[in-house]
Amino acid sequence: RTCILRKIMKEKNHHNTVKLRKEVSSHNKKIITRGKNVESRRVKEASPKNQLVSLDAGVKICARKYNDCKAKADKLQNTLSQKRDVITELNREGESLINMLEGKNNGAKQLTKLRSDIEDVTEACEINLHYRLQLNYMYVRQTKISSDMDAVMSDLSNTISSMAAKRIQMA
């Protein structure tokens, strides 16, 4: 039994060791792929000129990042200001439409005045038309009465002249 346990422990340790070696290997590959391994860094970092070069490179990288971010921020600011302008214009149009519907702006006031004037003129025209119809009715009535009177007068005149002729004959 102890022999089997030792074998299992040995395999387990071997497995852990292989795993650890793979991790170290991948870590070293990352360092090497950056172009520098740890030892060469220590050597380069020792000289002040190399420190200035690396510091300058770092500043340039940060400046590039800053400029990129600033350009993005400027684009976003322009987009934002354009959208604010559109919203402001839409709000103005909405307010003018609301004022028009409520009759508060000049155009709506003119329309209301024109409607009122149209109603007044229409009412005056209706009154004139009614008066004209009354006059026409009175004229027709007067014409009829006048012709009836003329007929009655001519009958009376005929009756009077015939009575006068009879009286002359009788006398």
Side-chain angles (χ1 to χ4, degrees):
R1 281 187 175 184
T2 54
C3 188
I4 294 174
L5 285 175
R6 281 183 196 164
K7 241 184 185 179
I8 292 173
M9 292 299 281
K10 200 176 193 182
E11 285 178 18
K12 200 172 196 184
N13 285 339
H14 177 69
H15 179 67
N16 286 339
T17 306
V18 170
K19 194 174 185 183
L20 184 62
R21 282 183 189 167
K22 285 183 182 179
E23 288 176 8
V24 170
S25 169
S26 67
H27 182 67
N28 286 340
K29 282 182 185 177
K30 287 180 185 176
I31 291 173
I32 291 171
T33 55
R34 289 183 191 157
K36 303 170 186 172
N37 59 13
V38 178
E39 293 173 13
S40 64
R41 268 194 202 165
R42 287 185 187 151
V43 171
K44 284 186 179 179
E45 287 176 0
S47 74
K49 186 176 182 181
N50 288 336
Q51 286 180 350
L52 286 176
V53 168
S54 66
L55 181 64
D56 186 38
V59 168
K60 286 180 181 177
I61 289 171
C62 289
R64 193 175 310 125
K65 285 181 182 178
Y66 171 77
N67 289 335
D68 291 342
C69 290
K70 187 173 180 183
K72 285 179 185 178
D74 289 342
K75 286 180 184 178
L76 288 174
Q77 184 66 34
N78 288 339
T79 305
L80 179 64
S81 64
Q82 288 174 352
K83 289 184 179 183
R84 280 184 183 164
D85 291 342
V86 168
I87 287 174
T88 304
E89 186 65 29
L90 289 174
N91 285 337
R92 285 183 189 155
E93 287 178 10
E95 287 175 7
S96 66
L97 288 174
I98 288 170
N99 288 337
M100 186 186 299
L101 291 174
E102 292 176 354
K104 292 180 181 176
N105 65 358
N106 292 335
K109 288 177 183 177
Q110 284 180 335
L111 287 174
T112 304
K113 185 179 180 223
L114 287 174
R115 283 185 185 136
S116 173
D117 291 345
I118 289 171
E119 287 175 3
D120 292 344
V121 169
T122 303
E123 187 177 330
C125 287
E126 286 176 357
I127 290 171
N128 286 338
L129 180 64
H130 181 68
Y131 184 66
R132 181 179 283 164
L133 289 174
Q134 284 178 339
L135 288 176
N136 279 339
Y137 177 73
M138 288 170 60
Y139 175 75
V140 168
R141 209 168 146 205
Q142 182 184 7
T143 307
K144 185 179 176 190
I145 290 173
S146 176
S147 67
D148 287 347
M149 271 304 176
D150 286 343
V152 167
M153 290 302 247
S154 93
D155 285 344
L156 282 175
S157 169
N158 287 339
T159 306
I160 289 176
S161 51
S162 71
M163 287 182 121
K166 278 188 187 177
R167 190 188 287 160
I168 292 181
Q169 279 179 359
M170 285 206 183

